Amino acid sequence: MRRYIATRVVTMFGVLMITLLITIALVGSNMDTILTQGIVFQVRSEITENPAIAESFSTVEEFEEFIQSQIEQRIKILGLDEPWYSPQRIGVTMYKIMMLDFGNATFLTSDEGSSDVKDILFEKLPRTVLLFTSATVIISIIGIFLGAFSSSKVGSIIDRITSSFAIISSSFPVWWIGMLMIFLFAFTYQIFPARATPDIPSSDPAYIGSLLYHMALPLITIVMIGFGSWAYLVRNFMVGIMQEDFIIAKKTIGIKQKKIIYTHALKNAAPPIVTILALSLSGSLGGAIITEAVFDWPGMGRLYFEAITVMDLPVIIGATYLLTVFFLISIFVADLLYGYFDPRVRTGK
């Protein structure tokens, strides 16, 4: 077991390093250009805010020479005088990213006004967890129980309704149903607010309650669209298992139907269900760009959308790294659980 875990850890770490290298290679030259422009803007802004500095020079040439020296000095401090692909630059950049030192955002800020990428990410991430991860957990619970129940009544009305609902709900994107839900429940009946972002600042004690109220409509929409496909998958995983000899034998000796479904059959269908659940949970951390934009939910999806729109590369790199780490952790946990439920995977047989 230890060898199995060690192998998986080494593999995950290798994947993380490759992802980092690819990300740095994709944005390397653009990142240098943006950082250099940011330094120029920062130096000129500091001098503009302090007129005494400009007044201390007798000629324009001396003043411009001072500005240029300040810019060159800061470029050297940040290591931008070397090409982005030099081993030293790549090594330092990867180390900083791994230590969650993403630097400052170029354009975006947190609600508190901080431009530190880490502050921005850790402000948005809990909100995405609150909405999308909660929705994923609810969807998986409903889907597992409904799918398991349908698998025991193949061909019945409940089974047909479940399968039909799964096909219909999967045919519509969440954001489109979300727009209909906003029109119906926010404008027609005025039960929920149209915007999922609370109108009060996050420092207000009533913010949490307001946030939960504002997330009700997007949460209902995501769950309503998502649980049908989950139930359909679980149902298909379990249909074959319900026909196997050991299940028929348990029915013959008089074990209750519910115990057979939710204890014996469901345990045998656990490996693929656990894998899908792990992938769904890790995927939920990234939010959904269009869905968050439609509901105006202040999470990771909308942050990604805003960062891509203004090309805020430090935020894009930080969010990508963070989500990659969460994804690898979820895959690692799924592998362990898969090995627990199916020992053939753990032993390599």
Side-chain angles (χ1 to χ4, degrees):
M1 187 67 180
R2 290 180 180 176
R3 185 178 178 183
Y4 175 76
I5 294 175
T7 304
R8 303 307 298 170
V9 170
V10 171
T11 304
M12 298 295 176
F13 185 74
V15 172
L16 181 62
M17 292 297 100
I18 292 172
T19 305
L20 267 180
L21 274 175
I22 293 174
T23 305
I24 293 171
L26 289 175
V27 303
S29 57
N30 291 327
M31 176 69 90
D32 283 2
T33 303
I34 291 174
L35 288 176
T36 304
Q37 290 174 348
I39 290 172
V40 173
F41 177 78
Q42 186 181 19
V43 170
R44 292 191 177 277
S45 296
E46 289 175 0
I47 293 175
T48 303
E49 292 170 359
N50 188 1
I53 297 177
E55 292 170 358
S56 64
F57 295 96
S58 56
T59 63
V60 176
E61 287 77 13
E62 288 182 2
F63 178 62
E64 289 296 333
E65 187 178 344
F66 170 76
I67 292 177
Q68 191 59 36
S69 67
Q70 289 292 311
I71 293 172
E72 291 175 357
Q73 186 179 352
R74 297 190 187 190
I75 285 176
K76 193 171 183 179
I77 291 173
L78 291 177
L80 299 178
D81 53 333
E82 293 185 19
W84 67 266
Y85 47 81
S86 66
Q88 185 179 353
R89 282 281 310 274
I90 291 179
V92 171
T93 304
M94 289 182 67
Y95 176 77
K96 284 184 175 180
I97 293 175
M98 289 179 64
M99 295 293 110
L100 303 182
D101 181 6
F102 307 117
N104 292 323
T106 311
F107 303 104
L108 302 178
T109 61
S110 67
D111 292 344
E112 303 295 331
S114 172
S115 62
D116 192 319
V117 174
K118 189 165 63 177
D119 292 341
I120 297 173
L121 293 176
F122 283 98
E123 179 187 74
K124 308 297 182 186
L125 189 61
R127 296 169 183 172
T128 291
V129 171
L130 183 65
L131 176 59
F132 285 92
T133 306
S134 300
T136 303
V137 171
I138 296 171
I139 286 170
S140 58
I141 291 173
I142 297 175
I144 288 172
F145 280 95
L146 184 59
F149 184 70
S150 296
S151 69
S152 65
K153 298 183 179 298
V154 177
S156 65
I157 294 177
I158 293 177
D159 183 41
R160 291 177 185 176
I161 292 175
T162 303
S163 300
S164 301
F165 181 75
I167 295 170
I168 293 171
S169 61
S170 302
S171 304
F172 296 101
V174 177
W175 60 267
W176 190 76
I177 298 296
M179 292 176 70
L180 293 179
M181 295 287 279
I182 291 172
F183 174 77
L184 189 63
F185 293 104
F187 294 110
T188 304
Y189 295 107
Q190 299 181 352
I191 299 173
F192 299 107
R195 292 182 68 230
T197 300
D199 298 325
I200 57 178
S202 57
S203 56
D204 193 304
Y207 180 80
I208 298 297
S210 178
L211 188 68
L212 293 174
Y213 171 59
H214 281 71
M215 72 175 273
L217 188 58
L219 181 68
I220 292 171
T221 305
I222 297 169
V223 171
M224 188 175 69
I225 293 298
F227 79 85
S229 55
W230 250 95
Y232 187 67
L233 286 173
V234 174
R235 179 248 186 213
N236 288 343
F237 289 148
M238 292 187 61
V239 164
I241 296 173
M242 292 298 292
Q243 305 301 322
E244 293 195 8
D245 293 340
F246 77 98
I247 294 293
I248 295 174
K250 292 182 185 302
K251 290 179 181 176
T252 306
I253 61 178
I255 297 178
K256 291 183 178 179
Q257 179 84 343
K258 284 186 179 178
K259 188 172 183 181
I260 293 174
I261 297 171
Y262 296 110
T263 303
H264 303 288
L266 196 57
K267 184 178 180 182
N268 280 270
I273 293 174
V274 166
T275 303
I276 295 175
L277 179 60
L279 293 175
S280 300
L281 288 174
S282 64
S284 71
L285 297 175
I289 292 178
I290 301 179
T291 303
E292 287 195 4
V294 167
F295 286 105
D296 195 24
W297 180 254
M300 291 292 289
R302 204 179 79 178
L303 177 66
Y304 249 127
F305 176 76
E306 293 173 349
I308 292 172
T309 302
V310 299
M311 281 301 290
D312 201 322
L313 293 179
V315 175
I316 295 173
I317 292 174
T320 303
Y321 173 75
L322 211 57
L323 296 178
T324 302
V325 170
F326 284 127
F327 177 76
L328 293 175
I329 290 174
S330 65
I331 292 294
F332 177 68
V333 173
D335 277 349
L336 293 182
L337 292 174
Y338 211 111
Y340 171 76
F341 287 113
D342 189 348
R344 292 173 299 177
V345 176
R346 187 172 66 244
T347 56
K349 293 181 180 178

